[in-house]
Amino acid sequence: MTTVAWTSDEIMTVTASRSLCDGMSCFVGIGLPSTAANLARRTHAPGLWMIYESGTLGTVPDRLPLSIGDGSLADAADTVVPVPEVFNYWLQAGRIDVGFLGAAQLDRYANINTTVIGDYADPRVRLPGAGGAPEIAASCREVVVVMRHSRRAFVERVDFVTSVGHGSGPGDRERLGLRGAGPVRVITDLGVLEPDPRTRELVLTGVHPGVAADEVRAATGWDLAVAEGLEVTPEPTDAELSVLRSLTGAA
Amino acid sequence: MTTVAWTSDEIMTVTASRSLCDGMSCFVGIGLPSTAANLARRTHAPGLWMIYESGTLGTVPDRLPLSIGDGSLADAADTVVPVPEVFNYWLQAGRIDVGFLGAAQLDRYANINTTVIGDYADPRVRLPGAGGAPEIAASCREVVVVMRHSRRAFVERVDFVTSVGHGSGPGDRERLGLRGAGPVRVITDLGVLEPDPRTRELVLTGVHPGVAADEVRAATGWDLAVAEGLEVTPEPTDAELSVLRSLTGAA
Amino acid sequence: MIVPLDEAVRELVHDGDTVALEGFTHLIPVAAGHEIIRQGLRDLTLVRMTPDIVYDQLIGAGCARKLVFSWGGNPGVGSLHRFRDAVTHGWPVPLEIEEHSHAGMANRYVAGASGLPFAILRGYAGTDLIGNNPNIRTITCPFSGQELAAVPAINPDVTVVHAQRADRDGNVQLWGITGVQKEAALAAERVLVTVEEVVDALDPVPGQVVLPARVLDRVSVAAGGAAPSYAHGYYERDNEAYRAWDAIGRDRGAFTAWLAELTATAPPPAGPAAPEPAGRGL
Amino acid sequence: MIVPLDEAVRELVHDGDTVALEGFTHLIPVAAGHEIIRQGLRDLTLVRMTPDIVYDQLIGAGCARKLVFSWGGNPGVGSLHRFRDAVTHGWPVPLEIEEHSHAGMANRYVAGASGLPFAILRGYAGTDLIGNNPNIRTITCPFSGQELAAVPAINPDVTVVHAQRADRDGNVQLWGITGVQKEAALAAERVLVTVEEVVDALDPVPGQVVLPARVLDRVSVAAGGAAPSYAHGYYERDNEAYRAWDAIGRDRGAFTAWLAELTATAPPPAGPAAPEPAGRGL
């Protein structure tokens, strides 16, 4: 790996932020997704319309919130609505362009597990659970997943389907009545995975600078296919890095 | 009829107001019910908690509203909630002690018609329709009906059941899953009718001063039974009359 | 986004549309209703919980082929005579009706705003509304076995509401009695909001509903556009006008004269209000 | 109506009750949770969309036999170790869980507040939540034939929420992020509200939720009672305390020491707040 002026987490967050276009509405999870969304809003997508599940619509926080319900989110919002409204009137009604999710486990069809590692009745690790994710994954026009790459996290089959990605392949989302397109991109600290349009299986479509496809395959728990014409992520710009670091306090 | 210092409408309204106890929550319809509720609040029931279907909870209007959505109701309310909430969170949830309704037609089982006179498909008179009444009649702990007495209005069987009173007799409300007790009292310009506890049929239980039971029977479209120990309504007090007239502007 | 009212109606409302002009006594979009009459729209399915005189006018003008509603009257005054005439005599055109209770209509809008195909409620049981309306059915609770009423979502082609104000981006703010306007707007395919005024910033107000610009299609300034109903903080209800409508609506000739006058005049300018503002105390 | 917190908990909460202490990051009823621990309540079914450290504490103290929830974690920090320990090792007592999504839980409260036995939503389809929770079923729309999810209403025996203030009659006002507190309170058999302060009049505030006294059972003053979460307009979130909990919760010994200290101390006085108010700017 070449020496770089940025970390693998930073290029992951920058790449994720580039998934967001100006004017989009974005349902933002806390952590990496929130950092990426706030970065996008301060760089190329000033009109990004961020919704947190606490009910803050169109919020423009002056700093990174630690939780989805920080006071800074309420103060800076176009409006604050009760939690049932954010799920029913906004998410379920299909008004959100992109849902930004994290995951503890993800499988080759981009199904998401944030519930348990191991058996549900007798788990090896108990995780926080579903939160808003099942319906974010179902109802947003598209979903972007941001998570760090490892064989433990990228598995052949998730231990528990908390949120449906592409189920077990083509036609599953339609059969289940899920109205959004599902995960269109998984962004990791190594590269970018996208579902094959035909099989819906995740394929490596991009690597970050200095990362080899084989490295990504080695960090993936299934036999990861590599797209022809594999792209290399453009390096983070100075502007992106300086805004990101001012957000995370790592300047 | 003896000469009286009050009109038949006034004793109707005063009698209706006496149905309301201090501290009760009351779902108030516009017109006669609203006048009676506001009178009660200014006389013996200062803690009457009035709800209008426009969403004003616990309102204390400084004058009689002309409509259920007057600005004076909003200004004087404990809180104003959206219309879906007033019906779902307050009425349907069973939080209202008494519903105060008017009617164009009422039958011997206190079923209420405010929809059409004549055939529904080809009505003789088209009336305003249901409004909140069907669910007020279903869900309030009890219902009081206020309306003027006439053979046209008090009929054997309503042309259209807009709101269920006691259906076709005992057990009907339970069968229909209606959770409140239904109409417990009908107050008119002639007297007071109440359902027989056994048959659920309306019986004349009280007359206003100077009104004979036969007069009421003659103004009723079915063979109205008269209760043993028929009561005579106590005359309106000076205080009641003066407050009522200050409300209606007929001082 | 912010365009003159005649342009907004031309762009958003078409013959045959299902149109909800909502307002629960307060903030009734009267100016927009009059513009729909002026533009001669036809075959509309009009939806509203509480159709009052502006719906009487739309019906009398022959704009509607169907009315979906729960209470149709002149609040505090009496009946709607144009509505009655259309229902009982088909004048000027026959009017089909679909009739609900308030609870049913409110929940139909909630379902529409929520992207659900139907809503459930405790309602209608034992009434003759059920037998006369195929859009009222029953459903069984899969947990308790209880029977409840089911009604389909309402998703109007166009919802029109009136609000106190908008900012320059088209975000809208209304307060006071807010009725079912939020749900009616969120349930619609297209949304037109008329406002008393456009301001630089929407300072928060207790009891406000904010409709973000992204769920709206057009905002038009129509100062006084809710009269003779009222706009909380701007002007009061003109109760006399409601009473006066009774005589006009009662008579086909008087109504026809009223209609001729309305359609002969241009829409009111978007400038300062026609009715005197009655104080702005929030 | 307005009584000390220990008295209110004694009157309203009983062993075996289903108890919801709601709060969505903001206004979490921590003081009330601690009083429940102090009073040694047992076999509670705890309900909350987002159980966080006060639920970790209740679980670690052995108050709960079941948790109904949709996301259990230390927001912005990580896992709840007492919760994990109870689920995976049954320490100090086994913890049964019933698990939903946020959308499902929010709608369960809405149904509870609405007097409905169940709620419908587009949710859960294809997830393993369904197979592990008999309280998630499907229902068919009687109009469109679409399949939707159905979840039963939640009607807690007791709901506890924290609010900014109450008036002397016990009417309560909260604002900022109001989460699902209104629905949780209206869904409950009994309601306890802790407040920062009691005031003479509840001046309206933008974004407020008002809970009328008549739907509440007891109001208790607990200034600072939401800390380490925050009370909008009173004090800020103590992020450091959330981070610090991780080390305590992670270790049974450290937790046991924490618990001994909590139960040894009397409840905080109802007087001036423990944490410094951080400005009251509305």
Side-chain angles (χ1 to χ4, degrees):
Chain A
M1 210 184 219
T2 57
T3 309
V4 286
W6 33 265
T7 68
S8 56
D9 265 16
E10 284 174 337
I11 197 165
M12 168 170 65
T13 304
V14 166
T15 307
S17 82
R18 291 173 184 160
S19 291
L20 296 168
C21 301
D22 199 19
M24 272 184 166
S25 53
C26 179
F27 206 106
V28 184
I30 214 66
L32 294 173
S34 175
T35 309
N38 278 281
L39 173 59
R41 198 188 56 73
R42 284 155 194 248
T43 53
H44 64 281
L48 183 70
W49 207 69
M50 292 191 288
I51 295 188
Y52 287 79
E53 64 195 12
S54 54
T56 53
L57 305 184
T59 187
V60 186
D62 58 3
R63 58 181 185 276
L64 270 193
L66 184 67
S67 84
I68 45 83
D70 275 17
S72 62
L73 295 172
D75 286 333
D78 283 352
T79 185
V80 180
V81 299
V83 161
E85 278 192 27
V86 81
F87 284 102
N88 293 344
Y89 290 181
W90 289 87
L91 180 59
Q92 182 173 261
R95 277 177 242 281
I96 313 299
D97 295 315
V98 56
F100 231 180
L101 293 174
Q105 263 189 349
L106 185 95
D107 68 21
R108 69 196 301 155
Y109 289 109
N111 300 299
I112 290 170
N113 176 13
T114 57
T115 301
V116 288
I117 305 297
D119 184 55
Y120 185 71
D122 184 18
R124 208 156 64 250
V125 184
R126 174 67 227 191
L127 301 164
E135 287 76 23
I136 293 172
S139 292
C140 290
R141 288 200 186 90
E142 52 185 54
V143 171
V144 173
V145 181
V146 192
M147 62 189 286
R148 296 191 185 90
H149 225 119
S150 78
R151 289 185 76 91
R152 272 196 354 209
F154 283 72
V155 296
E156 174 70 35
R157 197 190 180 91
V158 288
D159 293 349
F160 189 99
V161 179
T162 311
S163 307
V164 177
H166 299 289
S168 53
D172 259 25
R173 290 187 66 88
E174 295 72 12
R175 248 193 307 283
L176 292 165
L178 308 178
R179 297 191 299 173
V184 296
R185 198 168 301 112
V186 179
I187 294 159
T188 79
D189 49 347
L190 299 181
V192 178
L193 286 68
E194 293 177 341
D196 178 280
R198 202 175 44 79
T199 65
R200 305 273 99 200
E201 182 179 318
L202 286 175
V203 170
L204 183 68
T205 58
V207 287
H208 298 324
V211 177
D214 278 350
E215 267 181 78
V216 188
R217 285 170 45 82
T220 302
W222 72 86
D223 186 20
L224 177 66
V226 179
E228 285 184 58
L230 183 70
E231 310 229 9
V232 177
T233 309
E235 303 231 358
T237 65
D238 288 352
E240 285 169 330
L241 284 174
S242 98
V243 171
L244 173 57
R245 288 168 187 174
S246 73
L247 279 171
T248 58
Chain B
M1 211 186 220
T2 56
T3 307
V4 287
W6 34 265
T7 68
S8 57
D9 264 17
E10 283 175 339
I11 197 166
M12 168 169 65
T13 304
V14 165
T15 308
S17 83
R18 292 172 183 160
S19 290
L20 297 169
C21 301
D22 199 19
M24 272 185 167
S25 53
C26 178
F27 206 106
V28 184
I30 213 66
L32 294 173
S34 174
T35 309
N38 278 280
L39 173 59
R41 199 188 56 75
R42 284 155 195 249
T43 54
H44 64 282
L48 183 70
W49 208 68
M50 294 192 286
I51 294 187
Y52 288 79
E53 64 194 12
S54 53
T56 53
L57 305 183
T59 188
V60 186
D62 56 3
R63 58 181 187 275
L64 270 192
L66 184 68
S67 84
I68 44 84
D70 275 16
S72 62
L73 294 172
D75 286 334
D78 282 351
T79 184
V80 180
V81 299
V83 161
E85 277 191 29
V86 80
F87 285 102
N88 292 343
Y89 289 0
W90 289 86
L91 180 60
Q92 179 172 261
R95 278 177 241 282
I96 314 299
D97 294 316
V98 57
F100 231 179
L101 294 173
Q105 262 188 349
L106 184 95
D107 68 20
R108 70 198 297 157
Y109 288 109
N111 300 299
I112 291 171
N113 176 14
T114 56
T115 302
V116 289
I117 305 297
D119 184 54
Y120 185 71
D122 184 19
R124 206 154 69 249
V125 184
R126 174 65 229 193
L127 300 165
E135 285 77 23
I136 294 172
S139 292
C140 290
R141 290 202 185 88
E142 51 185 54
V143 171
V144 173
V145 181
V146 192
M147 60 187 289
R148 296 189 186 91
H149 225 119
S150 78
R151 289 185 74 89
R152 271 197 355 207
F154 284 73
V155 297
E156 173 70 33
R157 196 189 180 90
V158 287
D159 293 350
F160 189 99
V161 179
T162 311
S163 307
V164 176
H166 299 288
S168 53
D172 260 24
R173 289 188 66 89
E174 295 73 12
R175 248 193 306 284
L176 291 166
L178 308 178
R179 297 190 298 172
V184 296
R185 200 168 300 112
V186 178
I187 294 159
T188 81
D189 49 347
L190 299 181
V192 177
L193 288 68
E194 293 177 340
D196 178 278
R198 204 175 43 79
T199 66
R200 304 274 98 201
E201 182 180 319
L202 287 175
V203 171
L204 184 68
T205 58
V207 288
H208 299 324
V211 178
D214 278 351
E215 265 181 79
V216 187
R217 285 170 47 80
T220 301
W222 72 86
D223 186 20
L224 177 66
V226 178
E228 286 183 57
L230 186 69
E231 310 231 7
V232 177
T233 308
E235 304 230 358
T237 66
D238 288 350
E240 285 169 331
L241 284 175
S242 98
V243 171
L244 174 57
R245 287 167 188 174
S246 73
L247 278 172
T248 58
Chain C
M1 183 78 187
I2 304 183
V3 301
L5 179 55
D6 55 345
E7 191 180 321
V9 169
R10 204 166 296 119
E11 289 177 320
L12 298 186
V13 190
H14 313 118
D15 287 348
D17 276 354
T18 296
V19 184
L21 295 95
E22 267 298 344
F24 215 80
T25 308
H26 179 214
L27 291 176
I28 296 167
V30 176
H34 286 175
E35 184 56 28
I36 288 172
I37 294 175
R38 266 192 216 97
Q39 295 192 12
L41 285 151
R42 287 294 175 268
D43 293 322
L44 302 179
T45 293
L46 291 176
V47 182
R48 190 166 151 203
M49 292 181 66
T50 54
D52 67 351
I53 64 181
V54 70
Y55 269 49
D56 210 32
Q57 294 163 351
L58 283 155
I59 291 164
C63 300
R65 64 158 209 85
K66 183 174 178 182
L67 178 67
V68 181
F69 75 111
S70 40
W71 190 89
N74 184 340
V77 178
S79 291
L80 297 177
H81 301 285
R82 295 298 92 228
F83 162 60
R84 278 192 173 191
D85 204 7
V87 170
T88 55
H89 304 111
W91 192 93
V93 290
L95 184 71
E96 189 187 336
I97 58 173
E98 177 183 331
E99 203 163 353
H100 286 269
S101 67
H102 278 351
M105 284 292 284
N107 280 295
R108 294 187 67 190
Y109 278 125
V110 169
S114 300
L116 289 174
F118 74 110
I120 56 176
L121 70 153
R122 293 187 190 277
Y124 297 108
T127 73
D128 286 334
L129 291 162
I130 300 174
N132 288 287
N133 185 344
N135 274 339
I136 305 168
R137 302 199 183 160
T138 55
I139 194 160
T140 305
C141 170
F143 302 97
S144 65
Q146 289 178 65
E147 284 229 327
L148 300 166
V151 285
I154 299 177
N155 292 105
D157 295 312
V158 193
T159 285
V160 184
V161 299
H162 186 76
Q164 278 99 335
R165 57 195 188 189
D167 66 18
R168 296 185 196 288
D169 295 330
N171 297 297
V172 160
Q173 182 188 38
L174 56 152
W175 65 92
I177 289 172
T178 55
V180 76
Q181 281 101 308
K182 182 198 281 193
E183 288 75 16
L186 291 176
E189 185 66 29
R190 303 184 291 280
V191 183
L192 164 60
V193 184
T194 55
V195 295
E196 290 296 323
E197 60 174 340
V198 172
V199 296
D200 289 329
L202 302 175
D203 295 327
V205 169
Q208 72 181 13
V209 166
V210 171
L211 297 172
R214 63 177 42 247
V215 297
L216 311 177
D217 294 276
R218 293 288 181 274
V219 171
S220 298
V221 177
S229 83
Y230 69 108
H232 201 113
Y234 285 74
Y235 47 91
E236 296 198 357
R237 193 171 191 267
D238 182 356
N239 289 331
E240 202 34 63
Y242 280 85
R243 291 195 190 93
W245 180 254
D246 194 66
I248 301 168
R250 199 179 279 275
D251 181 78
R252 288 185 189 172
F255 173 76
T256 304
W258 174 90
L259 183 61
E261 194 179 342
L262 178 80
T263 52
T265 54
E276 279 295 290
R280 300 282 288 282
L282 308 182
Chain D
M1 184 79 188
I2 303 183
V3 302
L5 178 56
D6 56 344
E7 191 179 323
V9 168
R10 204 167 294 119
E11 289 176 321
L12 299 186
V13 189
H14 313 119
D15 287 346
D17 275 353
T18 296
V19 184
L21 296 96
E22 267 298 345
F24 215 81
T25 309
H26 180 213
L27 292 176
I28 296 167
V30 175
H34 288 176
E35 184 56 29
I36 288 173
I37 294 175
R38 264 190 219 97
Q39 295 193 12
L41 285 151
R42 287 293 175 269
D43 293 323
L44 302 179
T45 292
L46 292 176
V47 181
R48 189 166 153 205
M49 291 180 66
T50 53
D52 66 351
I53 64 181
V54 69
Y55 269 48
D56 210 33
Q57 294 163 351
L58 284 154
I59 290 165
C63 299
R65 64 158 208 86
K66 183 175 178 182
L67 178 68
V68 181
F69 74 110
S70 38
W71 190 90
N74 184 341
V77 178
S79 292
L80 296 177
H81 301 287
R82 295 297 93 231
F83 162 60
R84 277 190 174 192
D85 204 9
V87 171
T88 55
H89 304 112
W91 192 92
V93 290
L95 184 71
E96 190 188 337
I97 58 174
E98 177 184 331
E99 201 162 355
H100 287 269
S101 68
H102 278 352
M105 284 292 285
N107 280 294
R108 295 187 67 190
Y109 279 125
V110 169
S114 301
L116 290 174
F118 74 110
I120 56 175
L121 71 151
R122 294 187 189 277
Y124 297 108
T127 73
D128 286 335
L129 291 162
I130 300 175
N132 288 289
N133 185 342
N135 273 339
I136 305 167
R137 302 200 184 160
T138 56
I139 194 160
T140 305
C141 170
F143 302 97
S144 67
Q146 290 178 64
E147 285 229 326
L148 299 167
V151 284
I154 299 177
N155 292 105
D157 294 311
V158 192
T159 285
V160 184
V161 299
H162 186 76
Q164 278 98 336
R165 56 196 189 188
D167 66 17
R168 296 187 195 288
D169 294 331
N171 298 296
V172 161
Q173 183 188 39
L174 57 152
W175 65 91
I177 289 172
T178 56
V180 76
Q181 281 100 307
K182 183 198 280 192
E183 289 74 16
L186 292 176
E189 186 65 30
R190 303 185 291 281
V191 184
L192 163 60
V193 184
T194 55
V195 295
E196 289 297 321
E197 60 174 340
V198 172
V199 296
D200 289 330
L202 301 176
D203 295 327
V205 169
Q208 73 182 12
V209 166
V210 171
L211 296 171
R214 61 193 309 119
V215 297
L216 311 177
D217 295 274
R218 293 289 181 273
V219 172
S220 297
V221 177
S229 82
Y230 70 107
H232 202 112
Y234 285 73
Y235 47 90
E236 297 198 356
R237 191 170 193 268
D238 183 356
N239 288 331
E240 201 35 63
Y242 279 86
R243 290 195 192 94
W245 180 253
D246 193 66
I248 301 169
R250 199 180 278 275
D251 181 77
R252 287 185 189 172
F255 173 76
T256 304
W258 174 90
L259 183 61
E261 194 179 342
L262 179 81
T263 51
T265 55
E276 277 296 290
R280 299 282 287 283
L282 309 182

